[in-house]
Amino acid sequence: FIAVCVWDALGFTRQDAMALGPLPLRSTMVIGAKLTALAMFLLGSSAAINFLNAVAFATTTSHHFGASGFTTHFTGAMVATLAAATFVFSTVVAIRGTFTVIGSARLIAVLGSVLQFLFVVGLSCFVILISQARTTRPAFLDSSASAWNPTIWFLGLFEHLRGSPNPEWIPLAHKAVLATLASIFMAAIVSIAGFHHQMNRALAPQPGLLAGAAGIRRTLARWIFGRCSVA
C-alpha cells in the first residue's frame, strides 16, 4: 500500500532523464542511486511496521519457551514479514518499470490509480477477514492454495525459521526465498531498462508544429552555412 502511494517515484520518468542527463554522471551511478533509494525506502517502511508486530507476536506466543523461544519467534516473524514485504514491493516496482518501457505516461498514471484503489479495498477486506478468522479458517491459508498463494509460502518460511518439525513447510520456505529473489531481480532489470528508455525519450526530438518542415530547415541551414562541417 505504501509502495503504490508513491507510485510515481518508483521508476524513472522523462523529467528525471532531462534533469540528470546533462549532468556529468555515469548511468551506473544514477541507476545505483535509484535502486539504493528504493531499498532504503523499503527497509525503512517495512522494518518500522514489522518490528513492532514481531515483538508483540513473539511476546505473546513464547511465554512458555523462555528467552530462546522469544528470539526464535521474533526472528522468524521478522524475516518472513520483511521477505514478504520485499516480494510485494519489488513486484510493484517491476510492474511500474514494465509499463514505463511499454506504455505511455497516461497509462502509467491510470494504472497507479487503479492499484491504489485495489490496495485500499484489499486492506479493508483483509481487516474484515481477520476479524472473522477467530471462528473460521481463511481460505487463503488452506494447504490446497499453496501452489499459487504467496501468503502460504511466507507462512512456510516463518514456520521453518522457528523450527517447526513439520516437513511440509520446507518446500514452501524455498518457494518464498526464490520468489523474493526473482522479484528483486526483475525489479532491478526493469528499472535499468526504464532508465535507458527514458534517457532515449529525453534525447529524442519532440513532435511540434514544425515537425514536418525538418527538410526545409536542413536545406535552409545548408544554404546559410554551406559546407562548414562545424556548423
Side-chain angles (χ1 to χ4, degrees):
F1 178 68
I2 295 175
V4 296
C5 284
V6 294
W7 173 259
D8 293 333
L10 295 179
F12 291 99
T13 64
R14 186 171 180 270
Q15 289 75 17
D16 295 333
M18 293 178 66
L20 298 174
L23 300 179
L25 299 173
R26 296 189 303 272
S27 59
T28 54
M29 180 180 296
V30 177
I31 295 172
K34 183 65 174 182
L35 295 178
T36 302
L38 290 175
M40 295 300 294
F41 176 75
L42 164 65
L43 293 177
S45 57
S46 61
I49 297 172
N50 293 320
F51 177 80
L52 296 177
N53 290 333
V55 170
F57 175 80
T59 302
T60 304
T61 60
S62 63
H63 56 279
H64 294 302
F65 303 99
S68 62
F70 175 86
T71 302
T72 301
H73 286 200
F74 171 80
T75 303
M78 192 67 180
V79 172
T81 51
L82 284 179
T86 302
F87 170 75
V88 175
F89 182 84
S90 299
T91 301
V92 174
V93 172
I95 294 173
R96 172 68 166 78
T98 300
F99 278 89
T100 297
V101 176
I102 67 175
S104 62
R106 179 175 297 179
L107 178 62
I108 294 173
V110 171
L111 181 63
S113 299
V114 171
L115 285 178
Q116 290 170 5
F117 171 76
L118 292 178
F119 268 70
V120 170
V121 173
L123 282 175
S124 301
C125 294
F126 188 76
V127 171
I128 298 174
L129 181 64
I130 290 299
S131 66
Q132 300 297 322
R134 296 180 179 180
T135 56
T136 59
R137 182 178 178 85
F140 68 88
L141 289 181
D142 190 80
S143 58
S144 61
S146 61
W148 57 267
N149 191 351
T151 304
I152 301 182
W153 304 346
F154 292 98
L155 174 61
L157 178 61
F158 162 74
E159 293 288 350
H160 179 62
L161 290 175
R162 79 174 185 88
S164 174
N166 195 335
E168 71 176 4
W169 299 119
I170 297 178
L172 296 176
H174 292 167
K175 283 186 178 182
V177 173
L178 291 177
T180 302
L181 294 177
S183 65
I184 293 174
F185 177 77
M186 288 300 301
I189 291 299
V190 298
S191 294
I192 295 172
F195 170 76
H196 291 293
H197 176 74
Q198 296 293 8
M199 288 295 292
N200 292 334
R201 286 190 60 204
L203 295 175
Q206 297 300 302
L209 294 177
L210 299 179
I216 299 176
R217 296 200 299 271
R218 285 195 295 268
T219 302
L220 183 61
R222 291 194 198 99
W223 180 75
I224 295 175
F225 296 104
R227 296 183 179 278
C228 178
S229 59
V230 176

